Amino acid sequence: MNGRAPYRLQAHLWRTANELGMTPVLGPASPDSVSGNHPALLVNTAGGLQILDAGPPPFPAGGAAPAWCEAQVAVPGMPHPVWLISVHLPARSATSQHIQAERLANLVAQRGGLVIAGGDWNGYAPADRLTSPALEGLPAHLRPARMRLGGDGRLEADYHVHRALASVGLADAAAELPAERRTPPELTPTGVTGGARVDRIYLTRSLVPALERYEQAATGGSDHQALLLTLRTEAAAGATPPPPLP
């Protein structure tokens, strides 16, 4: 949600939600965002979904605000609710990305439950198989937050964010599906700068068997493509949620 004019933020949020017939959940201002954008979720409560909880939990004053927004949603036909998480990690600092990803992964693991987390991670995932020549061909301003120099002096993709999420059992949804169930079939860049998918959807690994289809497409209203992930409710109903930890 665009926060460039803060006094219009709530009006913009509710106008968008009302036009779609959905209920909004607004997150905090994105850390390091020049325009002060906020992550948000729009939930189709009119279609039977129920919001049970929302976040993120507040963090102590003085620390960077969480770079995500979340809602725990009850889905008809599923015995367990799902945490839906909208993410926008900082674009200009790998360190800030790492901190946010580690905080989110820690929360996911400790809280337990089923999770679907998607958005702009501003970094890369191993499934895209970025080579050093491909990285060298990208704009230089992307290097500090998305790459690092290897021991041989060649550029390497920084996968720290992906690995933090994977360490608590979250899977890269598009990479889990075969090419024939993706549009486009190949894993292709989601942003105008190219390179790879900076926008991705992760989900609890026990939900992987419920994956039906993944699609991405330009909308004309953003420099990023929109992502659509379809799951089969019947299969998702059998997913076992990770338990909460002490």
Side-chain angles (χ1 to χ4, degrees), residues 152-217:
D152 58 359
R154 293 166 64 86
L155 287 172
E156 300 174 348
D158 187 338
Y159 297 137
H160 189 104
V161 167
H162 170 86
R163 288 170 178 156
L165 301 173
S167 74
V168 297
L170 297 183
D172 179 357
E176 293 290 335
L177 282 166
E180 61 270 19
R181 287 160 61 189
R182 298 194 300 242
T183 303
E186 303 303 320
L187 298 175
T188 58
T190 58
V192 296
T193 54
R197 298 169 301 131
V198 293
D199 307 276
R200 298 185 298 279
I201 301 174
Y202 288 83
L203 75 172
T204 305
R205 184 156 290 281
S206 61
L207 286 170
V208 168
L211 287 174
E212 182 69 23
R213 187 157 191 86
Y214 167 85
E215 301 176 53
Q216 68 183 61

Side-chain angles (χ1 to χ4, degrees), residues 117-144:
D120 183 359
W121 302 91
N122 270 306
Y124 304 128
D128 293 271
R129 304 183 185 277
L130 280 166
T131 63
S132 181
L135 293 172
E136 290 170 358
L138 295 173
H141 75 279
L142 299 179
R143 294 178 183 177

Side-chain angles (χ1 to χ4, degrees), residues 44-140:
N44 186 13
T45 50
L49 301 178
Q50 292 184 331
I51 299 173
L52 306 179
D53 197 356
F59 279 77
W68 68 87
C69 173
E70 59 187 10
Q72 187 185 44
V73 175
V75 181
M78 290 186 62
H80 305 289
V82 180
W83 279 102
L84 304 178
I85 306 176
S86 174
V87 180
H88 191 181
L89 295 194
R92 296 170 177 81
S93 169
T95 302
S96 295
Q97 291 176 11
H98 298 175
I99 291 171
Q100 292 284 349
E102 289 164 356
R103 284 164 62 180
L104 177 57
N106 184 279
L107 175 65
V108 166
Q110 190 166 33
R111 185 170 57 192
L114 299 173
V115 169
I116 300 175
D120 183 359
W121 302 91
N122 270 306
Y124 304 128
D128 293 271
R129 304 183 185 277
L130 280 166
T131 63
S132 181
L135 293 172
E136 290 170 358
L138 295 173

Side-chain angles (χ1 to χ4, degrees), residues 1 5-18 26:
M1 284 292 148
Y7 57 90
R8 298 178 182 170
L9 176 64
Q10 290 289 341
H12 174 49
L13 174 75
W14 282 99
R15 182 172 60 251
T16 304
N18 290 337
L26 185 68

